[in-house]
Amino acid sequence: MENQKTGRIVLAATPIGNLGDASPRLIELMTTADIVAAEDTRRLIHLAQALGIRVPGRLISYHEHNEVARISELLDLVRAGNTLLVVSDAGMPAVSDPGFRLVQAAVAEGVDVTAVPGPSAVLTALALSGLPTDRFTFEGFLPRKAGDRASRLADLAAEQRTMVFFEAPHRLEPMLRALADAFGPDRPAAVARELTKLHEEVRRGTLMELLQWAEGEVRGEIAVVVGGAPEGEPARAVDHVARVRELVDGGLRLKDAVAAVAEQERVSKRELYAAVLEAR
């Protein structure tokens, strides 16, 4: 009996600027995959031409506007035994680019998924920032509306890990202004633009210094890295008893109020519950 061909999904990182960063494994997959799901098929074709190769497999458009609708079709193709290569315009798919929902569905249904690592704007910006790299968080793009953006940044004001953001060049100035308002003008940060490209530049300084620089015209792909909040006094459960009482007075069960406040303030749920009972 002939062995049935086993399909799989391969997420592959593409260059974020310098074509020399295209890995041999990426090139091999571009020339051998049965199907290639690309964020922009035209950009994929241009990449292949620049690399001196041809993509013989079936090309499928897979971007933020059709991501959910395509999942069932793509999984069916993989179940039929095809190798599906998933690429974004630059960097690793599923990281601030289409791919996450496909991986989530594939994992839920037992479909094989693997990855070909490579260029990453997040890690490159972090490494060049001069800020601590041992613990960091990737926050992607901030909300465009000022109110929503301020609310998100308020949630991050006490974040002690280094933070990495993406931003469009024409929105960089208002973004840095919002960061300075939320985190303070003296918070250390770095703006990385055009990473791995001819005009690569990394500006380092305080948020206020970077804001003053960004008042001029800034072009290119942008990543912003911000230092975490300085360590303060350790959070104490007893300091948040009043907040628990407010929630309980508002109709929330004590157990739920304690859980909500403990998570928000990063204190021990057990210690907070005991503190509330002791204060009664």
Side-chain angles (χ1 to χ4, degrees):
M1 181 177 177
E2 186 179 346
N3 290 331
Q4 187 175 2
K5 183 180 176 184
T6 303
R8 62 174 180 159
I9 298 171
V10 184
L11 308 176
T14 55
I16 60 175
N18 193 315
L19 291 177
D21 293 333
S23 72
R25 290 180 65 197
L26 169 66
I27 294 172
E28 179 187 2
L29 278 161
M30 288 175 65
T31 59
T32 60
D34 302 299
I35 301 156
V36 181
E39 189 175 4
D40 185 332
T41 55
R42 293 168 300 180
R43 291 190 65 165
L44 176 69
I45 292 171
H46 290 158
L47 174 61
Q49 291 173 341
L51 295 173
I53 61 174
R54 188 175 68 87
V55 180
R58 175 185 170 188
L59 297 184
I60 294 180
S61 172
Y62 182 63
H63 48 73
E64 62 175 328
H65 302 297
N66 69 2
E67 184 176 6
V68 174
R70 287 281 198 212
I71 289 176
S72 178
E73 174 189 359
L74 293 176
L75 290 181
D76 285 344
L77 290 168
V78 175
R79 290 193 198 94
N82 294 293
T83 293
L84 169 64
L85 173 64
V86 180
V87 295
S88 63
D89 289 344
M92 177 62 75
V95 180
S96 199
D97 279 324
F100 160 69
R101 291 181 177 84
L102 177 62
V103 172
Q104 190 176 46
V107 170
E109 298 190 24
V111 174
D112 187 28
V113 184
T114 188
V116 172
S120 165
V122 177
L123 297 181
T124 305
L126 177 67
L128 295 178
S129 69
L131 296 167
T133 59
D134 54 336
R135 297 173 66 238
F136 72 94
T137 173
F138 174 55
E139 296 296 329
F141 287 91
L142 289 170
R144 294 188 183 186
K145 292 183 179 179
D148 294 339
R149 184 171 57 212
S151 178
R152 173 79 64 82
L153 291 177
D155 290 340
L156 293 172
E159 175 59 68
Q160 294 183 358
R161 294 171 294 180
T162 300
M163 294 165 279
V164 184
F165 302 87
F166 285 163
E167 191 51 277
H170 63 279
R171 291 198 297 269
L172 179 61
E173 183 183 346
M175 180 221 191
L176 290 171
R177 191 177 304 280
L179 288 171
D181 289 343
F183 300 158
D186 296 327
R187 183 75 70 89
V191 175
R193 69 178 196 90
E194 295 292 88
L195 289 172
T196 78
K197 298 178 184 177
L198 179 63
H199 299 292
E200 174 181 290
E201 180 181 19
V202 181
R203 287 270 179 167
R204 305 172 185 89
T206 66
L207 284 171
M208 182 54 66
E209 290 169 342
L210 293 173
L211 174 58
Q212 292 169 349
W213 163 75
E215 289 174 352
E217 186 178 16
V218 179
R219 297 182 179 179
E221 301 289 331
I222 301 286
V224 179
V225 188
V226 183
E231 264 188 71
E233 290 294 319
R236 299 188 308 162
V238 69
D239 295 333
H240 305 292
V241 169
R243 178 56 182 154
V244 173
R245 285 176 171 170
E246 288 178 11
L247 294 177
V248 171
D249 291 343
L252 204 61
R253 292 191 312 164
L254 176 59
K255 182 179 179 181
D256 295 334
V258 167
V261 174
E263 180 178 3
Q264 182 178 5
E265 303 297 339
R266 299 181 182 178
V267 297
S268 164
K269 186 163 56 174
R270 179 181 59 79
E271 291 179 8
L272 181 56
Y273 190 83
V276 172
L277 294 181
E278 186 178 343
R280 281 182 168 180

